[in-house]
Amino acid sequence: MDLRQLDLPGLSGDACLAEEADKDPNGTDVLNRGELHVHINGAIPAADIREILADERTVLPDGFEFERDLVRTAPCQSLAEYLACWQVLRLFPKKRENLNRLTFAVMGSLAENNVRFVELRSSVLYLATLQKCSPAKALERLIESTGQAAEHYGIRRGLILTVTRGDYSAVNLSTLLQAYQDLDMPRDVIGIDLAGDEETKYPSELPALFRKAKDRFGLGITIHAGETGRVENVRAAVELFGADRIGHGTAAGKAPELLELLAAKGICVEVCPISNRLTGAVPKDEAHPLQLFRRYGVPFVICSDNPAIHQRGLADDQAAAMAEGLSIGDMRQQYEVAKRYSFMRDLT
């Protein structure tokens, strides 16, 4: 893993950090890792994506260039630009066997990074549309496929159901929760997530639906918030949505009172160092708020977000966190921190 190929602040010349982050106190064994923020479609290796698209004879959108637009290795001008690759990532898999293929590829990549447990995020509804089945059937297929892949690689996994900000986010969440109930509330589903461009509005009833799902079904809540500099989105995630964790949350570093709130409530921030630089959540000329999180006692866990899109893995994100000022000692604690704040139960 050559971090020198990633043109981001603090990483140039520090490729050795990824190897250092893989060592135990004696410098011999590889660390166990837990992954709490990774999107399935953003974790599929590009080679597998290309072959699945060819197998399904998928036509790319006009103007989309696979090599240029799928991979992100340099900072984007906006989150919207960063998310542009999803116009292709949501075009597959149309075939059941390709769902299996991609989940095995994702789990294989996680295993290479010594991930022992993972919370995988998927919207599911796009899968139902592609495979021309009900949302319940799509969820059932996703549970089965990811379960088989996880067992093969010896990884524990839970599923987080994601809805994207927009006019239909409340309807989509209700549809996902109905599919979850239709399958008798499988234990494989552990949480719900709100994602997408934070500049996009959502229905006023959406926060109440999240809280209701938490209270009724015991699902964990994680909200993508504060990734575009909007401090108020982090506060809304806590006060309106009842978030247990915050995805990214970098804007919180600009508001000491919000850092105090997160610390007081014990709300964990899912920090994705490489992604935060690529999306512009943390500009090139600014320090990452990781040190502020630690100073204020805000719990955080290092995650990879979309590792295949970055052509990196969780080990690289931990190395990036070290380049931002954290220590190898901090990285050694990450496995226990991830277990503590995971929505999965009975992790050992």
Side-chain angles (χ1 to χ4, degrees):
M1 298 173 290
D2 191 355
L3 290 178
R4 290 170 297 186
Q5 296 176 2
L6 195 60
D7 183 21
L8 297 176
L11 293 184
S12 179
D14 285 331
C16 60
L17 287 177
E19 295 182 4
E20 185 179 357
D22 272 343
K23 294 178 180 178
D24 76 353
N26 299 315
T28 55
D29 297 329
V30 175
L31 291 172
N32 293 327
R33 293 187 172 93
E35 172 64 89
L36 302 189
H37 187 129
V38 61
H39 300 271
I40 292 179
N41 283 23
I44 308 166
D48 292 277
I49 293 176
R50 186 186 291 276
E51 292 179 7
I52 290 173
L53 290 174
D55 178 61
E56 298 184 350
R57 299 182 179 181
T58 301
V59 177
L60 296 180
D62 290 341
F64 190 95
E65 295 183 18
F66 192 89
E67 298 297 341
R68 181 194 67 192
D69 298 326
L70 184 70
V71 173
R72 297 286 185 247
T73 57
C76 297
Q77 295 300 310
S78 66
L79 179 60
E81 179 188 342
Y82 174 87
L83 294 173
C85 57
W86 254 260
Q87 61 184 306
V88 165
L89 294 175
R90 287 184 177 145
L91 296 179
F92 67 93
K94 299 173 185 175
K95 297 180 180 179
R96 178 70 173 84
E97 58 267 28
N98 283 334
L99 175 61
N100 291 339
R101 175 175 184 163
L102 71 85
T103 56
F104 270 77
V106 168
M107 286 296 179
S109 296
L110 291 168
E112 289 176 0
N113 280 262
N114 300 292
V115 172
R116 306 306 181 200
F117 64 91
V118 59
E119 297 183 4
L120 292 169
R121 301 182 187 215
S122 176
S123 66
V124 177
L125 296 182
Y126 87 97
L127 183 62
T129 299
L130 288 170
Q131 300 202 349
K132 298 179 180 179
C133 63
S134 69
K137 176 56 69 174
L139 178 56
E140 183 179 50
R141 290 176 180 176
L142 186 65
I143 289 172
E144 180 180 332
S145 186
T146 57
Q148 291 173 348
E151 183 177 4
H152 176 81
Y153 285 103
I155 299 174
R156 283 197 59 181
R157 73 90 180 88
L159 296 177
I160 293 179
L161 305 181
T162 295
V163 296
T164 302
R165 286 177 173 84
D167 293 340
Y168 297 100
S169 52
V171 172
N172 290 342
L173 177 58
S174 296
T175 301
L176 285 172
L177 291 174
Q178 186 58 58
Y180 169 70
Q181 294 175 78
D182 290 344
L183 296 180
D184 294 326
M185 298 177 290
R187 294 184 60 187
D188 310 77
V189 177
I190 57 173
I192 51 178
D193 168 41
L194 179 65
D197 192 338
E198 290 183 56
E199 304 302 316
T200 302
K201 295 181 179 180
Y202 55 78
S204 59
E205 67 268 26
L206 186 63
L209 290 176
F210 268 80
R211 296 196 310 271
K212 182 178 179 180
K214 179 178 181 178
D215 294 339
R216 182 178 179 185
F217 305 121
L219 295 172
I221 294 179
T222 174
I223 305 291
H224 283 67
E227 193 179 8
T228 57
R230 289 184 175 271
V231 172
E232 60 268 28
N233 287 350
V234 181
R235 186 175 298 279
V238 175
E239 297 180 347
L240 300 182
F241 286 86
D244 301 294
R245 300 198 313 247
I246 302 293
H248 303 292
T250 53
K254 302 180 184 299
E257 72 281 2
L258 187 53
L259 292 173
E260 293 173 353
L261 176 66
L262 294 174
K265 288 183 171 291
I267 296 175
C268 182
V269 178
E270 304 154 355
V271 177
C272 308
I274 293 176
S275 176
N276 293 160
R277 292 294 186 181
L278 292 175
T279 62
V282 183
K284 185 176 183 178
D285 58 350
E286 291 185 12
H288 197 287
L290 268 170
Q291 294 282 21
L292 282 173
F293 293 158
R294 184 167 61 176
R295 188 180 311 156
Y296 277 82
V298 177
F300 62 84
V301 60
I302 303 301
C303 308
S304 65
D305 199 15
N306 300 297
I309 301 305
H310 308 158
Q311 296 190 326
R312 294 295 177 268
L314 184 53
D316 294 292
D317 273 280
Q318 290 190 349
M322 292 170 61
E324 300 281 3
L326 299 188
S327 69
I328 185 63
D330 293 322
M331 294 307 100
R332 289 179 185 135
Q333 298 173 12
Q334 276 293 295
Y335 186 59
E336 294 303 319
V337 174
K339 286 197 292 186
R340 185 179 312 138
Y341 290 97
S342 174
F343 297 153
M344 288 187 280
R345 300 290 179 260
D346 303 323
L347 290 170
T348 58

